[in-house]
Amino acid sequence: MKKSLILALLVFAVFSQCKKDDNPKPVGEQIETGDVIIEENVSSAGTTLVSDKFSLEIAAGTFSTSTAMKISKLENTPFSTDALTPVYFLNDLPPGTAEPMIIRIAGLDLSANPTAFLAEITRVHSADTNKISYRKIEYEVEDGKVKVIIPRTPSIYFKSGNITDEKLTIGVVVAKSQQTIVSSNGHFQLTSPVSKLAKAAEIADYLEEAYSLFNNAPFSFDYSARTVWPMGVTLLPMDNSLFGEQVSSVWGDNYATLSFNSDKLNEMSEMRITAGHEFFHFVQSLYDPRSGFMKAKFASSHYWLDEAMSVWAEEFFSGSTGYSSPIRVGNEPAPYEGGLNETKSDVRGYGYGMSGMIKYIADHFGINSMKAIYEQIHLEESPAEAIRLGLDKYYNSWYGLMLQEYTKSAIYPDVSTGLLVGLKAGEFNVNNENDTVMKFEASYKQLASNIYTVSIKESAVTDLSTLSVVADQQSDQMINIYKIKSATIPPELVGSGSGSVAVADIKILAADGYKFLVVLTNLTYNSNNAASSLSFTARISKKQTYKTFSFNLSVMCHYTYHYESGNPTTVDGAWHSAGFIELPLTQNGNILTASWNGIYGYPSSGNATITLNEDGTVTAEIHQLDLDLIASHQIMDCVITSLPLTSDNWSATTYYSDISYPYIQSLYWKETYSNFYIECDGFFTDPQYGNKNVMLRLFK
């Protein structure tokens, strides 16, 4: 006989005016619906189709035009020997039928107290594929026959309008030895094999626990989009790898259901976790702005976010603190991948791994952030933008810190040193004194990281040697350096920064068997999803003794002219420069000091304190008083902070930025003449003035 295959990969017409949910990504595979028993064209006048004990009544006006009806029966049902009928499928039904249809099945043993189930081919959230799902449907007994009323098929709705050329497949099966119970608070109706009813009652309690958790503070999710309770829940045999699944329906949120594997009821601790995970998927679906048909048939753009949040939420149902879901295994690298809005080859696995980010958000910004994020999803924001807007925080303020914790195994313990070393994009091996520099260059997706290892032989360095990693560009980036020894001991952070990071005492660490893990992160995030080419330089260098220094500063200032008579005049945007030639230094560890007098051939004095920071940057306080032939005197007080290292060669170490204002902590400048003086007590931080620079050089 002919077999009927329903192609779950539905293909939609593409319109020029399509919106976000009008270009869906299909999921699934061909679903077999059994042997064809009736194939006939039905006009708008309606008819009754009969095959053996089965009949289908189609009322006049149900179809607006002639419709090819194909009815099949599938003998292989999940109800096995309890099935009283095959699954009768109505294949390729048009959407938007005007009247219900009536199925009648004769010859059943009604003393077996049968239960009817509606079969629907729909996308199953956790499986990310289309399957046949089953939920209890009411029936009547009429003239000794089971009578099931099939609801009118819903219209397929898009923002661009209704599309009428897509088809739905719906089925009915009748089984015996089933019983239905309602949960304690009335939110769930569970249909289960009679022999497993006690376990069904436990699952009912788990579901009520989940209902309460996500509905109340601090989660506070709103369930009002579903107006009909209880929710249908079906216990039936499933694939051995599954404990349960959430199922959307083409009829919308009020028809969404849950299914649980009746063959897994000896593992109730895992079943409790599954109940929480899958019910949370239903809660998330209430914030999905797409139509019921879209939710039932296609994955959303925020699918990975759904999985990330549900995997994190499993901890609340695990009965233990520090819980890490086993489905994270193999997906731990996800937070390093970046590209939060990009299509992933394994979207589900990516979501499992991104549970680490969700846990960080919950721990640092509050569990109530979850609802705020999904409120943005409801407004049709992308997942990455929903997180940014929901948190009201830019990624560069927290994402790097999240990765810092994640790498240390401080979020989930399953992020091991061995795992991270296996992700490395390159390595810097220091085997002798000539191995001093290594460039790490790569293209980075937004919020993506690359991991490198640095291995140092003790004999290749001295007691004064340091390891530094310097960014070769000014960008939103983070450099984290960890010391590592064993594959099973978490990395330990030894240095962190944006422009440069330095680690001292590397000879001692090398002697103790430590290597280094360098995690470089692109913190750029914007709507264009463009990647960035970033370069970082790793360098082995010795602590230096510096003899002299020079300083140059250029900045846009607020100038005020003060006259002996008249009101002050302010000039915005006037530029100021200052600097001097090499001056002698005195060094005490990482503190360099200098003082001078008369260096220009006229009375001039000043002093400076320069601090070499552990992160490879420099801080300087400079005070100068000049007396020359033009002005009566000139005063400058300036504090520069965290100026990054840009080059280090045999003659000098240079700290430089071609944008000066981010590194100026304070600036005061005054120039006094015979009848007026000019005073600068502030500077511009606008990007349009960013072409002014600052440079401090230390000569060896």
Side-chain angles (χ1 to χ4, degrees):
M1 300 180 67
K2 291 169 62 179
K3 296 285 185 180
S4 176
L5 293 177
I6 300 304
L7 185 61
L9 299 177
L10 299 177
V11 180
F12 277 72
V14 178
F15 294 86
S16 60
Q17 70 268 40
C18 286
K19 298 290 185 67
K20 286 187 179 180
D21 69 352
D22 290 348
N23 189 20
K25 296 183 175 66
V27 297
E29 58 187 12
Q30 288 185 328
I31 304 296
E32 183 178 341
T33 58
D35 300 325
V36 176
I37 58 174
I38 300 174
E39 197 163 10
E40 185 175 324
N41 288 328
V42 178
S43 71
S44 59
T47 189
T48 297
L49 304 176
V50 180
S51 176
D52 194 18
K53 300 176 182 180
F54 171 90
S55 68
L56 173 66
E57 180 182 321
I58 303 172
T62 299
F63 303 143
S64 59
T65 60
S66 179
T67 299
M69 284 298 298
K70 184 167 61 175
I71 300 172
S72 61
K73 65 177 182 179
L74 182 66
E75 299 287 355
N76 183 21
T77 82
F79 301 98
S80 188
T81 57
D82 286 336
L84 296 176
T85 70
V87 186
Y88 290 104
F89 279 106
L90 314 183
N91 299 278
D92 297 336
L93 291 173
T97 54
E99 300 292 339
M101 290 178 284
I102 299 174
I103 290 177
R104 290 182 172 87
I105 305 174
L108 300 182
D109 180 6
L110 299 179
S111 66
N113 192 25
T115 301
F117 294 88
L118 183 73
E120 187 178 346
I121 295 178
T122 183
R123 175 183 174 272
V124 174
H125 197 292
S126 290
D128 195 21
T129 190
N130 287 343
K131 299 172 63 176
I132 302 172
S133 63
Y134 298 87
R135 60 180 169 88
K136 180 183 176 183
I137 187 171
E138 298 301 324
Y139 69 90
E140 303 173 13
V141 176
E142 186 179 89
D143 298 329
K145 300 176 183 179
V146 168
K147 174 185 173 182
V148 178
I149 299 175
I150 303 297
R152 293 188 297 269
T153 58
S155 297
I156 301 174
Y157 176 74
F158 286 83
K159 292 184 183 301
S160 53
N162 288 300
I163 297 177
T164 58
D165 62 349
E166 297 307 324
K167 309 298 181 183
L168 307 175
T169 295
I170 299 160
V172 168
V173 60
V174 180
K176 64 179 181 178
S177 303
Q178 309 291 310
Q179 190 167 334
T180 297
I181 61 171
V182 176
S183 60
S184 57
N185 293 327
H187 295 123
F188 302 94
Q189 182 188 70
L190 289 82
T191 302
S192 162
V194 173
S195 61
K196 299 180 179 181
L197 210 57
K199 295 294 186 181
E202 290 186 47
I203 294 175
D205 291 340
Y206 300 154
L207 290 171
E208 287 289 1
E209 176 189 18
Y211 183 103
S212 177
L213 176 72
F214 297 123
N215 193 216
N216 295 323
F219 282 94
S220 303
F221 279 98
D222 182 9
Y223 297 172
S224 61
R226 180 170 180 133
T227 59
V228 177
W229 299 87
M231 172 185 279
V233 181
T234 307
L235 275 67
L236 74 172
M238 300 168 68
D239 185 279
N240 188 56
S241 63
L242 297 176
F243 278 82
E245 51 198 22
Q246 182 263 333
V247 182
S248 296
S249 171
V250 294
W251 279 281
D253 295 329
N254 283 337
Y255 296 86
T257 63
L258 298 167
S259 298
F260 294 95
N261 192 342
S262 58
D263 291 336
K264 291 283 191 179
L265 298 181
N266 59 337
E267 302 177 58
M268 293 306 286
S269 60
E270 185 63 32
M271 195 61 77
R272 179 188 175 200
I273 291 171
T274 302
H277 180 118
E278 298 303 329
F279 181 73
F280 199 10
H281 280 326
F282 166 72
V283 174
Q284 293 159 348
S285 75
L286 296 177
Y287 287 79
D288 188 335
R290 298 177 302 155
S291 65
F293 182 88
M294 293 298 297
K295 287 193 271 190
K297 292 295 185 182
F298 297 94
S300 68
S301 62
H302 56 270
Y303 175 49
W304 71 260
L305 182 62
D306 292 348
E307 289 298 346
M309 207 170 282
S310 285
V311 169
W312 158 73
E314 289 180 10
E315 181 176 347
F316 294 93
F317 306 95
S318 68
S320 63
T321 58
Y323 170 84
S324 178
S325 174
I327 60 177
R328 280 183 44 83
V329 175
N331 300 299
E332 302 94 336
Y336 301 101
E337 291 182 24
L340 272 60
N341 282 334
E342 296 181 4
T343 301
K344 306 295 180 182
S345 59
D346 179 8
V347 181
R348 181 170 44 162
Y350 179 76
Y352 294 165
M354 290 299 284
S355 57
M357 179 195 71
I358 297 298
K359 182 171 173 59
Y360 179 90
I361 290 173
D363 291 346
H364 289 78
F365 309 131
I367 291 174
N368 58 336
S369 300
M370 306 303 135
K371 179 184 176 184
I373 291 170
Y374 271 87
E375 287 174 335
Q376 296 298 322
I377 291 293
H378 188 66
L379 295 175
E380 301 188 47
E381 296 292 349
S382 68
E385 194 67 359
I387 293 168
R388 185 186 72 81
L389 294 171
L391 298 182
D392 193 22
K393 296 180 185 297
Y394 288 100
Y395 282 95
N396 60 5
S397 71
W398 65 270
Y399 198 86
L401 297 174
M402 180 275 293
L403 284 178
Q404 192 178 97
E405 295 298 303
Y406 192 72
T407 304
K408 294 190 298 183
S409 301
I411 298 177
Y412 281 123
D414 53 14
V415 183
S416 67
T417 296
L419 170 74
L420 296 169
V421 170
L423 299 176
K424 67 182 178 183
E427 57 187 359
F428 179 20
N429 295 314
V430 182
N431 296 316
N432 57 62
E433 62 183 10
N434 296 320
D435 296 327
T436 58
V437 178
M438 173 68 74
K439 283 277 190 184
F440 298 141
E441 297 176 296
S443 176
Y444 289 72
K445 295 179 181 179
Q446 294 186 11
L447 304 178
S449 300
N450 273 335
I451 297 174
Y452 299 89
T453 58
V454 180
S455 301
I456 302 173
K457 280 189 177 182
E458 181 187 359
S459 60
V461 293
T462 71
D463 293 337
L464 299 177
S465 295
T466 62
L467 166 65
S468 64
V469 177
V470 178
D472 299 329
Q473 63 282 310
Q474 291 183 348
S475 180
D476 273 337
Q477 60 210 357
M478 177 168 275
I479 303 168
N480 287 316
I481 303 179
Y482 306 81
K483 64 179 184 179
I484 57 175
K485 180 182 287 188
S486 165
T488 58
I489 299 176
E492 182 179 343
L493 186 69
V494 292
S496 179
S498 175
S500 61
V501 177
V503 179
D505 301 322
I506 60 174
K507 185 178 181 69
I508 296 174
L509 292 171
D512 287 342
Y514 283 100
K515 297 180 180 180
F516 298 93
L517 194 74
V518 180
V519 181
L520 308 175
T521 304
N522 176 22
L523 293 180
T524 300
Y525 167 75
N526 52 52
S527 59
N528 64 19
N529 296 320
S532 302
S533 295
L534 301 181
S535 173
F536 300 83
T537 302
R539 178 180 284 106
I540 302 296
S541 58
K542 297 179 181 179
K543 291 182 180 178
Q544 294 291 338
T545 299
Y546 297 104
K547 298 179 180 179
T548 58
F549 85 107
S550 67
F551 175 74
N552 288 279
L553 171 68
S554 178
V555 66
M556 278 291 182
C557 290
H558 301 276
Y559 269 64
T560 303
Y561 286 77
H562 298 268
Y563 302 95
E564 290 183 354
S565 61
N567 295 324
T569 300
T570 299
V571 178
D572 284 337
W575 71 278
H576 170 68
S577 62
F580 34 77
I581 59 175
E582 288 186 52
L583 298 173
L585 284 168
T586 299
Q587 183 167 353
N588 182 11
N590 67 328
I591 306 297
L592 311 175
T593 57
S595 61
W596 58 91
N597 190 26
I599 60 172
Y600 296 110
Y602 54 82
S604 176
S605 62
N607 61 79
T609 300
I610 301 166
T611 303
L612 305 177
N613 300 321
E614 285 295 327
D615 65 358
T617 64
V618 68
T619 297
E621 298 183 21
I622 299 171
H623 310 277
Q624 184 170 339
L625 171 63
D626 289 339
L627 298 177
D628 61 22
L629 300 177
I630 300 176
S632 300
H633 62 268
Q634 178 177 295
I635 299 172
M636 184 189 74
D637 291 303
C638 181
V639 178
I640 303 294
T641 62
S642 301
L643 187 61
L645 172 69
T646 54
S647 65
D648 190 9
N649 55 45
W650 65 271
S651 63
T653 299
T654 302
Y655 299 86
Y656 174 79
S657 172
D658 58 7
I659 303 176
S660 58
Y661 66 80
Y663 304 99
I664 303 174
Q665 178 175 312
S666 62
L667 174 66
Y668 176 78
W669 179 78
K670 181 178 180 182
E671 196 170 293
T672 304
Y673 294 84
S674 58
N675 59 354
F676 71 96
Y677 67 89
I678 308 169
E679 188 175 40
C680 163
D681 59 359
F683 55 92
F684 284 101
T685 61
D686 300 326
Q688 61 181 313
Y689 300 123
N691 60 342
K692 304 305 177 183
N693 56 56
V694 58
M695 180 171 67
L696 188 147
R697 301 191 74 197
L698 302 175
F699 297 92
K700 302 173 183 178

